Amino acid sequence: MHHREKLVVIVGPTAVGKTELSLQLAGHFDGEIISGDSMQVYRGMDIGTAKASPEELARVPHHLIDIIEPDEEYSVALFQSAATRLITEINQRGHLPFIVGGTGLYIESVTHRFEFAQAEQDPELREQLQRLAAAEGVEALHRRLAEIDPITAERLHPNDVKRVIRAIEIYQLTGRKMSDYQHRAKHSPYDLVMIGLTMEREKLYERINQRVDKMIEEGLVEEVRRLLDRGYHPALTSMQGLGYKELIPYLYGEITLEKAVNDIKQRTRHFAKRQLSWFRRMAEIQWFDVTHREDRVKAGETIKKILAGKFHQLPNI
C-alpha cells in the first residue's frame, strides 16, 4: 500500500488564535509550519498581516513567509506547487508539516489537489482581448466569457480583467473551460488531520477590534507609509490587502485615522465571516470552540491526543 504523506492543517477565521495553537502543537510534535495565508508572503508587510514575531518564528521552522516583494505576482497555483513540495520535504526530514492560515482557496488547493489550467499562453490573443476591453469596456469582455464559460464568468467580477482574459485564453487554446480544470479531488492525497478553530461571534469581533488597535499601536500606519514611499502602487494586489487599503486614503489626507481604523475593523469582521463560511463547507474539518481560555487549553490537549493517535508520533519532549 502506498504510504501517504502526513499533513496537519489548522484553519479558522482571523484573530481566532491559530498562531498560538500552531506554535504549541508544532513545538510538541517536531513540526514545521507552512503559512497558508495569501498576504504573509510579502516582505515588508508584517504588522497588517499579523505575522508571527521574530521570536515566535525562531521557535519552529516556518515556510512561505517573506518570500516575495509587494509588487511581485503571487497566485494560488504558485502556492499550491510550493506547499506541495514543502510537505514532501518536511515528511522526508521525519517532521510533521502544519499548514496554518485563513486563506481557504490556497489551503484547499493543496489538501484536495485542485488542478489548475496549465494551458500555454498566447500573447497576441491577450493583446487583442485587452484592446477589446479598452474599446468596448470590461463588460463586453465579460459577456464574451459568459458565452463560453458561464461558471467561471459567474465567479469573476467584470473588473477582474486579467483573470477574465486568462479564462478566455484557456478556452481558445485548449477548447476546455477554466471551470473544468479547477475541480477538487474527492479524497485528499494526504494522511490528513484538519482542525478548525471557532469562537462565539461577539468574542471573535472583540478580539478583531483589539487586534486592529494593537496593529495601529505597533506602527501599522508607518508600515503603510513606508510602502507608499518606496513606490508601491495602491492598486497592487498586496496594497489592496486588509489593513493596507483602508489606511491609504488616510495617508492621502482624504479621511480621518478614526474612520480608517473603523473601516479596517468592519472589513476584518466581514472577512472573518466569509472565512468561516468557506471552511464550514469542508466536511473533513474537526471543529473546536476556543471562546474561553479553558476551551483553548482543552482543545490543545484533545488535538495532541488526536495527532498522537493518528500518526503514532512521539511528542518532542
Side-chain angles (χ1 to χ4, degrees):
M1 155 143 177
H2 180 60
H3 185 66
R4 289 192 305 169
E5 294 173 343
K6 300 168 183 172
L7 177 61
V8 180
V9 176
I10 299 175
V11 297
T14 191
V16 79
K18 296 185 293 293
T19 302
E20 190 192 342
L21 180 73
S22 65
L23 284 165
Q24 195 194 331
L25 291 170
H28 191 74
F29 286 105
D30 218 358
E32 298 187 30
I33 292 174
I34 299 167
S35 163
D37 182 295
S38 62
M39 287 295 293
Q40 295 191 351
V41 293
Y42 298 113
R43 291 194 274 267
M45 305 184 88
D46 304 333
I47 301 171
T49 63
K51 277 179 198 161
S53 68
E55 300 76 53
E56 290 172 326
L57 292 173
R59 273 168 54 190
V60 166
H62 280 71
H63 305 275
L64 303 189
I65 292 179
D66 292 336
I67 53 174
I68 55 170
E69 296 301 328
D71 56 356
E72 290 181 69
E73 289 272 313
Y74 201 65
S75 68
V76 61
L78 284 171
F79 173 81
Q80 185 192 46
S81 69
T84 304
R85 190 191 72 242
L86 282 162
I87 291 166
T88 300
E89 291 170 3
I90 294 167
N91 269 280
Q92 284 168 348
R93 284 195 276 277
H95 292 173
L96 192 56
F98 286 77
I99 294 184
V100 181
T103 307
L105 175 66
Y106 277 33
I107 292 170
E108 209 177 346
S109 79
V110 173
T111 59
H112 289 78
R113 270 294 146 85
F114 282 11
E115 278 184 49
F116 291 104
Q118 298 297 341
E120 298 306 305
Q121 299 180 354
D122 180 345
E124 231 166 89
L125 174 66
R126 272 187 186 191
E127 187 106 335
Q128 196 187 328
L129 293 169
Q130 258 145 1
R131 280 203 300 272
L132 171 75
E136 297 177 32
V138 293
E139 270 79 17
L141 190 70
H142 192 259
R143 275 198 300 277
R144 180 179 226 184
L145 176 61
E147 286 162 18
I148 54 175
D149 184 355
I151 295 173
T152 303
E154 178 72 22
R155 243 194 34 226
L156 296 178
H157 193 280
N159 291 343
D160 198 349
V161 176
K162 210 168 68 181
R163 287 207 181 89
V164 171
I165 288 179
R166 178 66 180 141
I168 296 173
E169 180 183 42
I170 285 167
Y171 183 76
Q172 303 278 23
L173 291 173
T174 65
R176 283 177 70 188
K177 300 173 192 145
M178 192 164 174
S179 50
D180 295 341
Y181 282 99
Q182 293 197 346
H183 67 260
R184 178 185 195 271
K186 219 174 185 54
H187 300 292
S188 176
Y190 295 109
D191 194 3
L192 178 69
V193 173
M194 288 194 93
I195 302 296
L197 304 182
T198 173
M199 61 172 51
E200 287 162 16
R201 181 167 290 184
E202 285 312 302
K203 175 79 172 161
L204 182 66
Y205 286 176
E206 188 189 313
R207 279 178 64 114
I208 286 172
N209 292 342
Q210 285 167 354
R211 173 184 273 193
V212 174
D213 289 335
K214 187 163 168 273
M215 285 174 173
I216 298 293
E217 270 165 45
E218 287 175 354
L220 181 58
V221 176
E222 290 70 29
E223 181 167 275
V224 180
R225 182 180 288 130
R226 206 164 44 243
L227 292 161
L228 290 170
D229 288 346
R230 285 171 58 194
Y232 293 118
H233 195 280
L236 288 168
T237 304
S238 58
M239 297 293 274
Q240 289 286 309
L242 260 175
Y244 295 87
K245 179 188 177 150
E246 297 79 9
L247 281 168
I248 293 171
Y250 161 67
L251 289 168
Y252 285 162
E254 294 161 15
I255 60 173
T256 62
L257 181 58
E258 190 188 0
K259 162 117 176 77
V261 170
N262 281 330
D263 286 347
I264 297 174
K265 289 177 179 173
Q266 190 188 1
R267 290 201 184 133
T268 307
R269 292 194 297 265
H270 285 163
F271 174 59
K273 239 155 91 175
R274 286 202 308 277
Q275 286 175 300
L276 275 167
S277 55
W278 180 289
F279 294 127
R280 289 267 180 236
R281 313 179 286 106
M282 298 182 68
E284 301 84 354
I285 296 179
Q286 304 180 52
W287 287 97
F288 292 87
D289 186 312
V290 291
T291 304
H292 305 289
R293 173 113 208 101
E294 56 271 28
D295 298 331
R296 280 203 285 283
V297 172
K298 210 162 70 191
E301 291 312 309
T302 309
I303 297 164
K304 278 178 188 165
K305 287 198 186 94
I306 292 171
L307 296 181
K310 168 101 171 157
F311 297 131
H312 316 296
Q313 189 99 355
L314 291 170
N316 174 29
I317 296 173

